C-alpha cells in the first residue's frame, strides 16, 4: 500500500498439463486500498518490473517508491488482467579470492551500490565453483563492491580500489557496463588483508560479558566503515579488515538515516584514548571520541566497559485499564525522536500448587 513496502507477487499457480496456467499469479485476501505491484525476477534471470512497465532491480531500488501505476481496490473488487511482461536480465559474474586465491563458499560478497552509496543488491560466492553471479540486471552502468565476512580482508571497489566499507570515492574505480540480457563474466576481485579490531564488551558495574551488542567503526570523516557484534561472552571482531588510517569506534550502529538504540538500557558511548568509553550523545557522534590508528596489517584490541543509562517507565491506560501497543516516544529539546517503544500487557502465569 502507499505507506508500506510494495506488494510482491507471492502466490503463483503451477501450470497444468496443457500449460494454460503457466505464469499465472493470484494475490488473495486483499483489503480495500491503494497498492503498487512489483514482480521480482532476478532469481530466475529476469528484470523486475513495477506495474505496469517500470523496470526495477528491486521494488525500492534507488530509494524511490511509490511509482508506476496505482492499483485501486474498492468494494472487494476482483481484478483480472493485471499482467506484467518481464524482460530477460543481464548478469555480472566472477571470482572473489584472497591473495592466495582462496575464498570459502558463502564468505565472499558482491554488492551493487547506487550513486548515493546505498546498497541495492548483493549476492554471495555461492555458485558450485564458489564464484558469484548477480542476475536480473537491466542495461546500465553499475558500481560494484566486493567484501568478505570475518576473514580480515579489506573491501574493494571494482577494479582493485580498496576502501573502508561505505566510504568509497565515486570518482575512483571502474563501472561495470551491462547491455540488454548481456552476461558479463570475469569481473574478479582479489581482496587484501587489513587490520581488524577485536575486544570484549562488558558491563561496567559487574564485568560480565555482554552478548549481541553492536560495535561500529567510522573513518576520520565520520563515515561508517565496518561493524562487529559481540558473541555470547561479549567478544567481538570487526566484520571486515581496514586499510591504514585513523578510525573512531562506538557501541551504537549509526549509518545514514539508520540508528539502532543500544540494547538493554546501555548508553551510547565512544572510545577515548585514556581507555574509557565516553558519552557521545544519542544518536552517537563517534567523532566525540578519540582516533584509533591502524597500520593496515596488525590487529588492535579495544575492550569496552558499557555504562547503563536511566530508565523512564510507566503504564499507558484507557478508562483505568492498561492499553497495549500504544507508541511511546522520547524526544530531545530539539524535537528529535531518540527512543520509541510500545506499551505491553504482561499476563502473569497462574500460580501452580507445589
Amino acid at each position: 500500500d502507499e505507506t508500506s513496502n510494495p506488494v510482491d507477487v507471492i502466490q503463483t499457480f503451477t501450470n497444468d498439463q496443457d500449460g494454460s496456467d503457466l505464469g499465472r499469479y493470484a494475490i488473495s485476501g486483499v483489503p480495500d486500498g491503494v497498492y503498487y505491484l512489483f514482480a521480482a525476477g532476478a532469481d530466475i534471470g529476469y528484470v523486475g518490473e513495477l506495474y505496469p512497465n517500470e523496470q526495477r532491480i528491486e521494488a525500492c531500488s534507488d530509494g524511490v517508491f511509490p511509482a508506476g501505476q496505482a492499483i485501486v481496490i474498492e468494494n472487494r473488487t476482483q481484478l483480472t488482467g493485471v499482467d506484467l511482461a518481464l524482460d530477460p536480465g543481464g548478469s555480472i559474474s566472477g571470482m572473489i579470492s584472497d591473495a592466495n586465491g582462496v575464498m570459502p563458499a558463502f564468505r565472499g560478497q558482491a554488492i551493487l551500490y547506487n550513486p548515493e552509496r546505498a546498497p541495492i543488491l548483493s549476492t554471495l560466492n555461492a555458485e558450485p565453483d564458489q564464484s558469484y553471479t548477480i542476475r536480473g540486471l537491466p542495461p546500465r552502468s553499475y558500481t560494484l563492491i566486493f567484501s568478505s565476512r570475518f576473514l580480515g580482508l579489506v573491501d574493494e571497489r571494482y577494479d582493485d580500489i580498496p576502501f573502508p566499507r561505505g566510504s568509497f570515492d565515486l570518482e575512483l574505480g571502474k563501472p561495470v557496463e551491462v547491455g540488454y540480457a548481456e552476461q558479463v563474466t570475469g569481473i574478479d576481485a582479489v581482496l587484501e588483508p587489513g587490520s581488524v579490531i577485536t575486544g570484549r564488551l562488558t558491563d561496567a558495574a559487574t564485568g560480565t560479558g555482554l552478548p549481541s551488542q553492536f560495535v561500529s567503526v567510522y573513518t576520520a570523516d565520520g563515515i561508517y566503515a565496518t561493524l562487529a557484534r559481540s558473541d555470547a561472552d561479549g567478544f567481538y571482531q570487526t566484520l571486515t579488515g581496514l586499510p591504514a588510517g585513523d578510525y573512531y569506534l562506538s557501541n551504537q550502529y549509526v549509518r545514514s538515516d539508520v540508528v539502532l538504540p543500544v540494547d538493554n538500557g546501555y548508553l551510547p558511548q565512544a572510545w577515548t584514548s585514556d581507555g574509557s568509553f565516553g558519552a557521545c550523545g544519542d544518536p552517537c557522534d563517534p567523532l566525540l571520541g578519540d582516533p584509533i590508528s591502524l597500520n593496515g596489517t596488525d590487529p588492535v584490541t579495544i575492550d569496552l566497559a558499557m555504562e547503563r543509562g536511566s530508565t523512564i517507565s510507566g503504564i499507558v491506560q484507557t478508562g483505568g485499564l492498561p492499553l497495549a501497543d500504544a507508541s511511546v516516544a522520547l524526544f530531545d529539546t530539539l524535537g528529535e525522536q531518540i527512543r520509541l517503544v510500545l506499551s505491553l500487557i504482561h499476563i502473569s502465569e497462574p500460580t501452580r500448587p507445589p
Side-chain angles (χ1 to χ4, degrees), residues 79-349:
L79 291 182
T80 60
V82 185
D83 302 331
L84 302 108
L86 306 190
D87 287 338
S91 66
I92 301 172
S93 63
M95 300 294 296
I96 308 171
S97 65
D98 63 13
N100 297 316
V102 176
M103 179 64 67
F106 300 96
R107 298 291 288 277
Q109 188 176 29
I111 312 167
L112 294 181
Y113 276 72
N114 66 17
E116 287 72 41
R117 296 188 177 89
I120 55 176
L121 192 64
S122 67
T123 189
L124 300 174
N125 62 328
E127 300 294 329
D129 61 354
Q130 297 182 6
S131 65
Y132 76 90
T133 302
I134 303 176
R135 298 179 174 86
L137 301 178
R140 67 184 228 192
S141 177
Y142 293 93
T143 295
L144 186 59
I145 302 299
F146 297 102
S147 186
S148 64
R149 299 170 61 84
F150 301 111
L151 296 176
L153 303 175
V154 178
D155 286 359
E156 178 183 296
R157 179 180 177 182
Y158 184 75
D159 186 16
D160 199 27
I161 305 295
F163 70 97
R165 177 175 292 193
S167 64
F168 60 85
D169 188 335
L170 291 172
E171 302 302 319
L172 300 177
K174 180 180 178 181
V176 180
E177 303 289 342
V178 178
Y180 177 82
E182 181 182 8
Q183 298 180 0
V184 180
T185 61
I187 305 300
D188 303 332
V190 178
L191 305 184
E192 299 293 337
S195 292
V196 295
I197 302 175
T198 65
R200 191 182 189 211
L201 304 182
T202 58
D203 183 287
T206 66
T208 304
L210 299 176
S212 302
Q213 295 283 352
F214 281 109
V215 172
S216 298
V217 181
Y218 301 86
T219 68
D221 297 323
I223 299 173
Y224 167 82
T226 190
L227 59 73
R229 199 168 192 185
S230 59
D231 65 16
D233 297 313
F235 292 98
Y236 74 90
Q237 176 182 311
T238 50
L239 180 66
T240 60
L242 296 166
D246 288 341
Y247 297 88
Y248 293 80
L249 184 146
S250 79
N251 65 340
Q252 185 177 35
Y253 182 86
V254 180
R255 183 178 184 184
S256 300
D257 58 348
V258 178
V259 179
L260 299 183
V262 184
D263 287 341
N264 299 321
Y266 289 95
L267 292 169
Q269 295 168 280
W271 181 83
T272 55
S273 57
D274 62 3
S276 66
F277 209 26
C280 56
D282 193 354
C284 180
D285 178 358
L287 300 186
L288 293 177
D290 293 325
I292 301 167
S293 293
L294 303 180
N295 61 16
T297 302
D298 298 323
V300 171
T301 298
I302 302 290
D303 294 327
L304 309 173
M306 294 172 51
E307 301 277 356
R308 286 190 180 273
S310 299
T311 300
I312 302 173
S313 65
I315 298 174
V316 179
Q317 303 181 46
T318 178
L321 298 174
L323 179 66
D325 294 329
S327 298
V328 181
L330 182 67
F331 294 84
D332 64 18
T333 56
L334 298 177
E336 296 290 334
Q337 179 178 299
I338 61 174
R339 289 287 187 277
L340 178 66
V341 298
L342 294 177
S343 62
L344 303 173
I345 293 180
H346 174 71
I347 302 177
S348 300
E349 290 288 331

